[in-house]
Amino acid sequence: MAKKKSKEILFDPLFENNPITVQVLGICSALAVTVKLMPAIVMALSVMAVVAFSNVIISLMRRYIPMRVRIIVQLVVIATLVILVDMLLKAFAYDVSKQLSVFVGLIITNCIVMGRLEAFAMDNKPWASFLDGIGNGAGYGLILIIVAFLRELFGNGTLFGHKVIPQWLYDHGYMDNGMMLMPAMALITVGIIIWVQRSLMPQLTEKE
Amino acid sequence: MDLINIFIKSIFIDNMVFAFFLGMCSYLAVSKKVKTSLGLGIAVVFVLTITVPLNYLLNKYLLEPGALKWLSPSLADVDLSFLSFIMFIAVIASMVQLVEMVVERFAPALYASLGIFLPLIAVNCAILGGSLFMQQKAFTNVWQSLSFGLGSGIGWLMAIVFLAAIRERISYSNVPAPLRGLGIAFIITGLMAIGFLAFMGIQI
């Protein structure tokens, strides 16, 4: 793990070591924001920013943090960054910030952030930690965007709020599947994504 | 009646897991055995019941716009609500630490079964989520927030015990290899969430 190349640090978390489907981190906030594409993208960018910068900050301080109180130190750094993100969203994207409601605040307890701080930033240099943060944020965002794309397309027939399913399909009896907008279908969609991914990458299959 | 309504609603309709996906990380990681998931569930109920009313008081008398009026009238337009994330998480982390120490001192048997889960709870999103939803719902008195905290905790406990029971059974059946473990857990949770939709619209 010590001497990974920057490229690997950046791209591993996208597929092979994806935070959601493989490391099982940060599912909490991942699913609730995926009804529409726009909030999902905003959420992905916010998480990416928080992971990357908290990784850098903790990595810079890693020699000075006493082991016993490190969780509190990490939480304070994360909470500060999340407050910044929340205020930026409220200032520049008020509608989306209203839709995300409590889930921006929940980035604090998003296990991706804590998990990466513990697993990576505590014993790596700042630049590598930054790449790790960007990579994991992107891996998280990728799943969010796939789920949101499927749910908005089949649930509403729209993407980013624009109609994409042509009218003649509706005339022939096509209907939007309201079920896709229910929370339950987010879970099942992620389950299916995991299934597809593990069929393509058999090394990830769980033995038991 | 109002209190009972909030209580029932937070267990069945606004269930932390099935409606808001909160606490999913530990929900999926710890739900392999009924016994351990029961332990974690009880710890979550415990901490939620303490922290939600506490954060309610904090929010009402310190953080809300105009909340500092009781100190002196000149502070009436101070708005500290931007501090709420950091205050809530500090309360949660320190309460978890305190609960851990108290339980260890006075109930060693309980500590032996809950001990390993308590530190995990500080970063369980269901706990912070409980406080953030409480802030959003604008309860009028502290008992409502207490009933909300207790109800959400019990809802979470129920969800994790159910999933663990199903997972114990499912280990005997022949699930397709790529779906084993995480994949099937997601799909089961999804199906359970569909089942819980049946409770929608209950009013007492």
Side-chain angles (χ1 to χ4, degrees):
Chain A
M1 182 89 177
K3 283 281 167 262
K4 265 196 181 173
K5 290 203 188 84
S6 311
K7 207 175 128 195
E8 283 170 29
I9 295 176
L10 192 56
F11 288 108
D12 257 11
L14 275 185
F15 305 104
E16 258 174 66
N17 205 8
N18 188 291
I20 293 186
T21 61
V22 183
Q23 302 175 48
V24 206
L25 294 175
I27 300 155
C28 328
S29 53
L31 300 169
V33 298
T34 52
V35 176
K36 293 228 169 72
L37 207 43
M38 198 56 204
I41 290 175
V42 172
M43 183 71 183
L45 289 177
S46 319
V47 170
M48 201 196 276
V50 173
V51 185
F53 288 108
S54 58
N55 257 357
V56 171
I57 294 173
I58 291 294
S59 167
L60 284 172
M61 301 198 301
R62 68 186 186 279
R63 294 193 195 170
Y64 310 104
I65 302 177
M67 276 316 259
R68 291 192 69 94
V69 297
R70 67 179 194 285
I71 304 267
I72 300 280
V73 175
Q74 290 166 355
L75 277 177
V76 171
V77 169
I78 298 169
T80 315
L81 284 167
V82 171
I83 292 175
L84 282 179
V85 166
D86 185 46
M87 288 173 132
L88 281 176
L89 283 183
K90 276 196 183 128
F92 294 107
Y94 190 72
D95 294 340
V96 180
S97 129
K98 264 269 164 297
Q99 282 175 23
L100 289 175
S101 72
V102 302
F103 291 97
V104 179
L106 286 174
I107 299 176
I108 299 174
T109 46
N110 191 319
C111 348
I112 291 186
V113 187
M114 285 295 265
R116 291 327 291 173
L117 289 181
E118 279 284 296
F120 200 90
M122 284 304 279
D123 38 38
N124 278 286
K125 294 217 170 80
W127 176 239
S129 306
F130 181 72
L131 291 179
D132 181 76
I134 294 282
N136 277 286
Y140 170 86
L142 186 71
I143 301 291
L144 237 67
I145 288 168
I146 296 176
V147 176
F149 175 81
L150 292 173
R151 284 179 80 188
E152 194 180 349
L153 183 64
F154 292 112
N156 260 343
T158 57
L159 288 176
F160 294 110
H162 299 292
K163 265 279 177 264
V164 282
I165 307 256
Q167 188 58 43
W168 58 266
L169 263 177
Y170 287 104
D171 296 341
H172 284 79
Y174 175 85
M175 279 217 266
D176 289 329
N177 183 356
M179 197 69 208
M180 287 302 279
L181 301 178
M182 299 284 184
M185 282 312 285
L187 291 161
I188 295 180
T189 315
V190 174
I192 292 169
I193 291 174
I194 292 174
W195 189 2
V196 171
Q197 193 199 12
R198 292 192 178 175
S199 314
L200 297 176
M201 299 176 178
Q203 73 273 19
L204 295 178
T205 305
E206 283 174 46
K207 292 162 202 75
E208 221 181 302
Chain B
M1 276 302 104
D2 202 23
L3 293 182
I4 300 175
N5 203 7
I6 291 175
F7 182 68
I8 300 285
K9 218 174 149 200
S10 53
I11 296 182
F12 292 109
I13 302 168
D14 292 340
N15 186 293
M16 282 279 180
V17 175
F18 298 130
F20 300 112
F21 315 104
L22 293 178
M24 284 299 277
C25 310
S26 30
Y27 176 76
L28 290 168
V30 186
S31 62
K32 285 193 179 116
K33 289 223 176 68
V34 171
K35 213 175 152 215
T36 43
S37 58
L38 193 65
L40 180 68
I42 292 173
V44 167
V45 176
F46 208 53
V47 175
L48 261 178
T49 322
I50 296 172
T51 55
V52 171
L54 210 62
N55 279 337
Y56 174 82
L57 293 175
L58 201 67
N59 189 42
K60 190 158 181 199
Y61 293 109
L62 203 62
L63 298 171
E64 264 180 350
L68 286 172
K69 232 179 341 200
W70 60 275
L71 264 182
S72 90
S74 58
L75 292 172
D77 47 352
V78 178
D79 178 5
L80 291 177
S81 54
F82 67 94
L83 281 177
S84 52
F85 292 162
I86 217 161
M87 291 297 275
F88 287 173
I89 198 74
V91 167
I92 289 167
S94 43
M95 271 326 286
V96 168
Q97 197 80 53
L98 206 68
V99 166
E100 196 182 347
M101 289 189 314
V102 170
V103 171
E104 189 179 11
R105 175 73 181 74
F106 293 106
L110 186 65
Y111 182 76
S113 55
L114 288 189
I116 41 168
F117 298 120
L118 281 170
L120 267 182
I121 283 179
V123 289
N124 187 323
C125 353
I127 310 289
L128 182 62
S131 290
L132 291 177
F133 274 119
M134 171 277 298
Q135 194 184 24
Q136 212 178 42
K137 283 178 195 251
F139 291 127
T140 46
N141 61 47
V142 69
W143 303 111
Q144 290 184 348
S145 69
L146 180 72
S147 136
F148 174 73
L150 183 64
S152 319
I154 292 176
W156 200 87
L157 167 77
M158 199 171 61
I160 194 171
V161 172
F162 285 179
L163 180 70
I166 296 177
R167 281 180 87 169
E168 268 186 8
R169 275 303 167 91
I170 219 161
S171 58
Y172 298 114
S173 46
N174 191 12
V175 180
L179 207 50
R180 238 167 248 173
L182 189 58
I184 196 74
F186 265 108
I187 291 178
I188 293 170
T189 313
L191 294 176
M192 281 161 74
I194 294 179
F196 266 67
L197 286 180
F199 290 112
M200 195 107 64
I202 287 184
Q203 281 285 342
I204 294 178

